[in-house]
Amino acid sequence: MSYPDFQPTLPCARALDAADPLHRFRSEFHFPPHAGGQAIYFCGNSLGLQPRRVADAVQVELKAWQDLAVGGYFGGTNPWLYYQDYCKQPLADIVGAQVQEVTVMNALTVNLHLMMLSFYRPTATRYKIMMEAGAFPSDQYAVETQVKHYGFDPADAIIEIAPRPGERLLRREDILDAIALHGDSLALTMFSGMNYYTGQLYDMAAITAAAHQAGALAGFDLAHVAGNVPVQLHEWDVDFAVWCSYKYLNAGPGAVGGVFVHEKHASNVQLGRLGGWWGNEEKTRFRMEKGFVPKADASGWCLSTSQVFNTVCLKASLELFAEAGMDRLRQKSIQLTAYLEFLLRQLNHLSFEIITPADPAERGAQLSLYFHEHGRQIHDKMIECGIIVDYREPGVIRVAPAPMYCSFEDVYRFYEILKEHF
Ligand SMILES: *Cc1c(COP(=O)(O)O)cnc(C)c1O
């Protein structure tokens, strides 16, 4: 069933759930309780729900620590020495990478800095970074402080691409034209794959090709993409990407971050970087000698001992992604968000606009609803009614039905509450 057959009825929502091959994954998650039942959780773009299997997975490592102590690095079910490696294959599948192009370490903003240290190499004439206007604040701060670090003025060295006057979304051609226009001075394009506020998904393949054409490198922040929309980072020739694991990847607050470094760079051990012992060849790591020898893959950027308790929840959560498959998740997500959009369009007495692109190819799970007035009060009322969504000034309620655990019935119940209360 798809758009022409959608009905604003509970039987329709239940029929969609019955036909959904991923419906059973819902029972793999803890939902926050509400009024004797479960809340409707549309905030997986901010913090994904806890997979039920996480508690056991944590227990395994606690037990290894109890019983083996330092022996846990080499013994036990999952020797800690290799802990970062356990996430590589499932993450590579999620972001369209080869296994040696992916690693987990630190957290998103830290990794953004580490990647820029390797891939933002400003010269006197080629020193500018291009990003979207209204990028996530942490990304803005990271880029601002990087250019300052090299003695440049952010007002000159950062090129922000904004929507045209009166528009809310970036046009693909405007991004590509700007890259060509600034080509000679451009060192790096540093867009998010998807804007956190509007939910707009950018054409990463086209941005990367245009950056390369101009002689620049292309990096992406995939915080809102990883586990939401399938991407092909290797094939698109993206130079590097970073993401967090606590949004659509459901690995819990503060979970370890993810990094992609394209094979052509990852295999180059001469490439400059900041080093630490965990990025060093295992063969020589424990000789404790002078001379950093990075691993010839993305983990050559790791610095510290793997953060087992920051990674164990991701490891457990990724099992679910491997079972569900990104392609099936995306198929469901397109339909689930289309159903949400269809139901929202029935509520024409409410004064809001959906600022997220209408084309499914230009968005993921999230729809951003811009309320011309009373946005904050409407958000608070939703929370009171057991709908967990978030609010961003001025007036935007972000609604993100994550396909891993949200159902068509959730979307229908959301609509019913809106219809009844507003
Ligand atoms: C969520 C998010 C972050 C958060 O960064 P942390 O370092 O994990 O706190 C950064 N950038 C974007 C685009 C995000 O969506």
Side-chain angles (χ1 to χ4, degrees):
M1 196 188 305
S2 63
Y3 181 69
D5 305 313
F6 283 160
Q7 298 293 329
T9 63
L10 186 57
C12 172
R14 289 193 169 153
L16 287 161
D17 281 331
D20 168 17
L22 302 183
H23 187 67
R24 70 175 177 88
F25 284 91
R26 185 179 175 75
S27 62
E28 293 275 356
F29 290 84
H30 290 286
F31 281 76
H34 175 78
Q38 286 180 349
I40 298 173
Y41 196 76
F42 288 164
C43 222
N45 56 341
S46 191
L47 182 72
L49 291 181
Q50 183 186 130
R52 289 181 182 273
R53 62 182 65 195
V54 152
D56 284 347
V58 172
Q59 205 51 50
V60 167
E61 305 310 339
L62 284 171
K63 190 84 174 84
W65 182 20
Q66 276 168 30
D67 294 347
L68 305 171
V70 72
Y73 280 102
F74 298 96
T77 321
N78 317 298
W80 302 329
L81 186 63
Y82 309 105
Y83 219 80
Q84 64 285 341
D85 297 343
Y86 307 145
C87 296
K88 285 182 183 175
Q89 186 63 60
L91 277 175
D93 294 342
I94 289 171
V95 299
Q98 298 178 359
V99 72
Q100 73 274 21
E101 293 175 318
V102 170
T103 195
V104 294
M105 59 188 197
N106 317 307
L108 196 165
T109 308
V110 177
N111 293 335
L112 189 52
H113 277 299
L114 292 176
M115 288 296 112
M116 282 197 282
L117 270 160
S118 289
F119 297 106
Y120 174 54
R121 294 300 181 91
T123 65
T125 52
R126 192 182 276 284
Y127 59 92
K128 294 188 179 176
I129 302 181
M130 184 179 291
M131 64 194 303
E132 80 253 38
F136 194 89
S138 201
D139 301 50
Q140 293 188 39
Y141 305 151
V143 171
E144 175 197 330
T145 52
Q146 285 270 338
V147 302
K148 280 183 175 164
H149 177 75
Y150 292 100
F152 297 103
D153 173 7
D156 171 46
I158 303 173
I159 306 163
E160 288 194 339
I161 306 302
R164 294 184 187 184
E167 299 186 5
R168 293 184 189 284
L169 302 171
L170 285 184
R171 296 197 193 192
R172 182 178 177 277
E173 68 265 28
D174 287 357
I175 300 176
L176 303 183
D177 289 350
I179 293 173
L181 180 69
H182 295 280
D184 292 343
S185 59
L186 197 60
L188 177 69
T189 60
M190 190 59 249
F191 285 82
S192 67
M194 176 185 291
N195 184 270
Y196 77 100
Y197 187 77
T198 62
Q200 180 178 16
L201 181 67
Y202 300 126
D203 187 340
M204 288 169 258
I207 292 173
T208 303
H212 290 170
Q213 178 76 34
L217 296 180
F220 290 96
D221 180 333
L222 302 184
H224 281 262
V225 173
N228 180 17
V229 180
V231 287
Q232 294 299 333
L233 298 181
H234 177 81
E235 199 182 303
W236 296 344
D237 207 21
V238 166
D239 294 290
F240 71 89
V242 291
W243 58 90
C244 54
S245 309
Y246 48 80
K247 292 174 179 168
Y248 291 97
L249 292 177
N250 311 321
V256 70
V259 172
F260 165 89
V261 181
H262 196 281
E263 214 276 326
K264 66 187 175 189
H265 304 304
S267 61
N268 177 7
V269 295
Q270 306 303 326
L271 193 68
R273 71 194 75 193
L274 294 184
W277 77 324
W278 229 249
N280 198 86
E281 275 298 341
E282 268 136 29
K283 288 191 282 293
T284 53
R285 184 185 298 162
F286 293 94
R287 288 188 200 152
M288 308 296 200
E289 286 171 351
K290 278 202 190 307
F292 174 59
V293 185
K295 294 196 198 182
D297 59 28
S299 58
W301 274 263
C302 290
L303 298 176
S304 291
T305 313
S306 63
Q307 305 157 77
V308 171
F309 289 97
N310 249 358
T311 308
V312 57
C313 303
L314 177 62
K315 178 177 173 296
S317 174
L318 289 175
E319 294 169 8
L320 297 170
F321 280 87
E323 281 174 41
M326 249 346 270
D327 289 339
R328 286 202 300 173
L329 282 162
R330 176 62 170 160
Q331 266 174 32
K332 171 176 176 182
S333 181
I334 288 172
Q335 212 189 12
L336 191 61
T337 298
Y339 191 53
L340 172 65
E341 185 178 28
F342 164 81
L343 292 175
L344 286 168
R345 298 227 181 273
Q346 317 295 311
L347 299 168
N348 35 30
H349 64 287
L350 271 176
S351 111
F352 65 83
E353 51 180 303
I354 301 175
I355 64 175
T356 306
D359 180 356
E362 284 185 64
R363 71 185 186 198
Q366 171 183 330
L367 293 182
S368 300
L369 316 185
Y370 177 68
F371 285 82
H372 296 273
E373 46 190 11
H374 312 308
R376 169 63 80 183
Q377 290 95 307
I378 292 171
H379 167 263
D380 294 350
K381 184 76 186 170
M382 286 183 185
I383 298 285
E384 205 180 298
C385 296
I387 300 169
I388 303 180
V389 287
D390 76 9
Y391 181 75
R392 290 285 182 271
E393 293 292 351
V396 166
I397 296 178
R398 302 187 304 167
V399 184
M404 181 68 94
Y405 48 73
C406 291
S407 66
F408 291 87
E409 187 170 336
D410 284 339
V411 169
Y412 178 78
R413 283 167 61 212
F414 170 74
Y415 155 78
E416 211 177 34
I417 292 169
L418 256 61
K419 197 167 74 159
E420 195 176 311
H421 290 275
F422 302 107

